[in-house]
Amino acid sequence: MYRSILKPGLFDGQLMVVTGGGSGIGRCTAHELAALGGTVALVGRDAGKLASVQEEIAAAGGQAHTYACNIRDETAVQALVAQLVAEHGAIAGLVNNAGGQFPSPLKDISQKGWEAVVQTNLTGGFLMARECLNQAMINGGGAIVNIVADMWGSMPGMGHSGAARAGMVSFTETAAFEWAQYGVRVNAVAPGYIASSGMDQYPPAMRDTIRAFPGTVPLQRFGTEAEVSAAIAFLLSPAAAFITGTTLRVDGGRPNVRPGMPMAKPAQPPEAFNGFHLAARPRVLGDGDA
Ligand code: ADE
């Protein structure tokens, strides 16, 4: 069973919906929430990937169900949430994690490519959140966590994604304000350079750039999927009961680097500072990539 840093039984009997649950941070988050007693609804486009995560969770003694759905499709999202409510009753938590983009300089992005990325990373998350609110959470509260990205300053080579993620931060803030009256908290988590299958989206020509990422981060390493899923679980939990509208960065301090200001190397290898937690997670980043 996946070892969470949080309290066993934290989400006992609660339905947690995780979009993009078939791989990467979504998969790890599904393991985390199931290990904490939640019943996980794995949502994604690829039924095969969802089924394999479901099997992993079941083998570990957790509970998960799969729902193939394209979150860009409003009618499909409405039907999905209706099905979730019919099968499980209340929805306690939604992790809006599904996302995707392709690397390209802005000047080469077509309207079609731009709109596809905005639909996946912004519109789809809005549709999932709106339907979970209207069909379920409006009656008994809940918590929503939107997964965005470290796009502060800029997101070179991923401008469409950066624009969509920045939009999601604004959506998070407005939803937090408008939905507080229903007992619904809405927050975001912004992962930085995470050793995750998401890194596979970069072309092979960028391998050297990717290997250099840890040197650009004050904590001098990649983050792990489990460090992101722990932040998500915290925001979903009663430990965050007075937190809404915030974006929690999980990025080793990357946006706090100041050009021209030298960065001190850590006194020990980065792993030595939190080895126990690093050992706790399923490992990713296409073995040997970094
Ligand atoms: N993951 C990436 N894109 C997705 C989409 N459009 N629907 C569901 N999951 C996704």
Side-chain angles (χ1 to χ4, degrees):
M1 174 58 95
Y2 178 94
R3 278 189 296 134
S4 175
I5 200 164
L6 300 169
K7 185 174 137 234
L10 189 60
F11 299 124
D12 263 358
Q14 297 185 18
L15 185 71
M16 296 290 171
V17 181
V18 180
T19 69
S23 61
I25 288 168
R27 165 178 166 253
C28 186
T29 300
H31 275 278
E32 174 108 33
L33 300 178
L36 293 168
T39 298
V40 178
L42 295 160
V43 176
R45 271 182 313 184
D46 186 331
K49 280 195 195 168
L50 299 178
S52 82
V53 176
Q54 179 188 31
E55 277 169 29
E56 291 169 8
I57 290 175
Q63 294 239 34
H65 305 271
T66 65
Y67 300 90
C69 176
N70 179 1
I71 59 159
R72 299 177 186 183
D73 178 339
E74 183 174 35
T75 311
V77 169
Q78 284 169 330
L80 165 72
V81 176
Q83 184 183 355
L84 290 170
V85 171
E87 291 178 6
H88 302 280
I91 297 175
L94 165 66
V95 182
N96 253 330
N97 164 75
Q101 54 269 307
F102 55 93
S104 174
L106 288 172
K107 72 180 181 49
D108 298 334
I109 299 176
S110 66
Q111 180 173 350
K112 189 164 170 242
W114 177 273
E115 286 175 354
V117 171
V118 169
Q119 276 176 20
T120 301
N121 297 298
L122 179 59
T123 312
F126 158 68
L127 292 173
M128 284 296 303
R130 188 197 68 193
E131 287 310 305
C132 284
L133 185 276
N134 284 332
Q135 296 195 50
M137 293 180 175
I138 203 164
N139 299 313
I144 296 171
V145 177
N146 299 316
I147 311 308
V148 293
D150 171 9
M151 50 39 195
W152 285 273
S154 69
M155 203 166 176
M158 294 276 194
H160 40 19
S161 183
R165 309 307 186 136
M168 203 62 189
V169 169
S170 177
F171 166 72
T172 299
E173 293 168 350
T174 303
F177 177 83
E178 293 189 3
W179 299 352
Q181 63 186 306
Y182 308 120
V184 175
R185 296 183 298 103
V186 189
N187 291 293
V189 165
Y193 296 138
I194 306 299
S196 170
S197 50
M199 285 284 172
D200 297 342
Q201 292 178 4
Y202 292 94
M206 279 192 71
R207 289 251 156 104
D208 287 344
T209 307
I210 293 171
R211 283 198 187 90
F213 281 163
T216 67
V217 174
L219 288 180
Q220 295 280 313
R221 64 174 175 86
F222 283 103
T224 65
E225 293 178 344
E227 286 163 335
V228 179
S229 61
I232 296 167
F234 162 69
L235 287 172
L236 289 171
S237 81
F242 200 52
I243 300 177
T244 196
T246 200
T247 298
L248 180 52
R249 287 171 26 206
V250 183
D251 55 24
R254 205 289 311 163
N256 302 110
V257 172
R258 295 198 68 89
M261 203 37 116
M263 205 170 7
K265 296 281 172 205
Q268 301 180 52
E271 300 75 27
F273 291 116
N274 67 349
F276 87 95
H277 193 203
L278 285 173
R281 90 253 4 250
R283 139 93 188 74
V284 236
L285 184 56
D287 300 316
D289 272 7

